[in-house]
Amino acid sequence: MNTKSPMAPEKFPDMPPIPGVRLASAACGVRYKGRRDVLLAELEHGTTAAGVFTLSKCPSAPVDWCRKALKGGQARALIVNSGNANAFTGRVGAEAVEQTVEAVAERLPCRPSMVYAASTGVIGEPLPYQRITDNLGALYESLSPAAWSEAAEAIATTDTYTKGVSRKARIGTVDVTINGIAKGSGMIAPNMGTMLVFLFTDAKLPSEILQPMLGDAVNRSFNSITVDSDTSTSDTVLLFATGKGAEHLAPASADDPLLDDFRAKLHEATLDLAHQIVRDGEGASKFVAIRVEGAEDDGAAKTIAFAIANSPLVKTAIAGEDANWGRIVMAVGKSGEKADRDLLGIRIGGVLVAANGCAVADFDEAPVAEHMKGRDIDIAVDLGIGTGSATVWTCDLTHAYIDINADYRT
């Protein structure tokens, strides 16, 4: 992996086994030499699935496969490779997915439609899938309920650290567990970014209940972050429920009060992973929260927040520790959403720096300057015209981003 981000967590989290899930990873040489690049997850019979995918009009072959597989709502396995996105590879790419999932299905055994696939890496190069299928025997033999850190390592590309999360939740009076791993560092923007996220729970929940809960969690987490405004061909978030934990009451729907704590913990888990992705933004040195209030509606607030978060001028000013609020004004104005210059208010680090169409007279710059030197930057904008609000998260833009992406294929 690259030099670890200065915002990396101290360690990979402790992640307990999820009944019904076994994991294995290996260095198969798909692109990288001598590092894990393939993940196999075996899921017990009866596992259900939900998924959210990229909105790119040029999706990868694995995304196409998963969209079809998800119609059945059942899952028995997940196969993931890093180093090659298997995107923009035409019929050859589709055949690579088919050959891979058929080999996994034969090994288990199960129907190919119950095997989910994901790929991440370079676009436009044929996937040497035989390097995956030739290693399936070894992968199967090494399956373990405890291999979460190794699984997270296998799906990484330009990531500088492995990303994982675990939460305990309650369904009624019964404890269940949610574990998740993710990869993502660059090409991150809704909907979604170059991210792969795989979530697992031992709860017993049908796919028609999982899907709306996952969609809501994604909208408030992975669809509220950006590193560089570029949406990938390969973004995939999958949630698997094995039903192999302690027996609990069956919820009637996704909004059943029985699931209140599960929904909350699922959102916590996805937001934690989303923040980890931003903190690992390629070349990033600062984590930036942008809160927009007083917009015409929530949708307008989110559009304005992203206009700020995606502005290279705003992001480079933050990298240079310059509280240049004029660039924030610029971004609000270019968003296309309703705004009134003379009602606009801007706070940086909680300090009001601009209001009523001009700079705040004699505001104390010292705490603002000190805030800009920190790792966590807070920007708040009040449009003053409505009740819409939204928060998005981004990072700064440094020269290291250029260095990483200029050398990506070499």
Side-chain angles (χ1 to χ4, degrees), residues 37-39 53 60-63 65-66 77-86 97 100-101 115-121 127 132 154-155 183 195-198 234-238:
D37 59 359
V38 174
L39 161 66
F53 307 97
S60 69
V63 167
W65 176 270
C66 284
L78 168 70
I79 186 77
V80 187
N81 75 270
S82 59
N84 184 309
N86 195 12
V97 176
T100 302
V101 299
V115 178
Y116 291 74
S119 299
T120 181
L127 175 68
I132 301 173
I155 65 176
K183 67 82 53 180
M195 62 184 77
L196 300 181
V197 180
F198 307 112
S234 307
D235 315 317
T236 298
V237 178
L238 291 169

Side-chain angles (χ1 to χ4, degrees), residues 92-295:
V92 170
E95 290 176 354
V97 176
E98 290 166 7
Q99 292 291 329
T100 302
V101 299
E102 286 174 5
V104 173
E106 184 177 357
R107 172 71 57 175
L108 287 179
C110 67
R111 297 193 306 274
S113 60
M114 299 175 73
V115 178
Y116 291 74
S119 299
T120 181
V122 174
I123 294 170
E125 296 183 2
L127 175 68
Y129 68 88
Q130 297 91 342
R131 299 178 189 177
I132 301 173
T133 56
D134 287 349
N135 283 281
L136 283 179
L139 282 163
Y140 189 79
E141 291 301 320
S142 63
L143 286 165
S144 165
W148 294 100
S149 177
E150 295 85 351
E153 181 184 342
I155 65 176
T157 52
T158 59
D159 304 63
T160 71
Y161 58 84
T162 53
K163 302 171 179 69
V165 69
S166 184
R167 291 288 187 276
K168 289 290 185 183
R170 293 179 75 79
I171 298 179
T173 60
V174 176
D175 288 334
V176 297
T177 303
I178 302 169
N179 281 0
I181 58 173
K183 67 82 53 180
S185 184
M187 206 185 288
I188 299 294
N191 290 294
M192 294 169 291
T194 299
M195 62 184 77
L196 300 181
V197 180
F198 307 112
L199 299 151
F200 306 84
T201 179
D202 54 359
K204 186 176 180 62
L205 299 169
S207 59
E208 59 268 23
I209 285 180
L210 287 179
Q211 189 63 48
M213 286 196 296
L214 180 63
D216 179 62
V218 166
N219 282 335
R220 294 190 290 149
S221 56
F222 302 117
N223 281 351
S224 294
I225 61 172
T226 179
V227 166
D228 48 22
S229 82
D230 286 334
T231 296
S232 163
T233 59
S234 307
D235 315 317
T236 298
V237 178
L238 291 169
L239 169 60
F240 301 105
T242 68
K244 302 304 179 183
E247 187 172 348
H248 57 76
L249 294 174
S253 65
D255 57 3
D256 191 323
L258 191 67
L259 290 172
D260 285 352
D261 189 59
F262 185 89
R263 282 193 302 271
K265 297 302 170 50
L266 178 62
H267 176 239
E268 279 185 21
T270 56
L271 190 61
D272 188 311
L273 290 173
H275 284 187
Q276 288 189 55
I277 289 170
V278 173
R279 291 184 184 277
D280 200 21
E282 290 173 344
S285 65
K286 297 181 186 294
F287 178 81
V288 187
I290 300 170
R291 174 73 176 174
V292 173
E293 297 179 329

Side-chain angles (χ1 to χ4, degrees), residues 360-373:
V360 173
D362 301 324
F363 78 87
D364 186 357
E365 291 193 30
V368 178
E370 187 64 26
H371 181 72
M372 296 302 295
K373 294 177 182 177

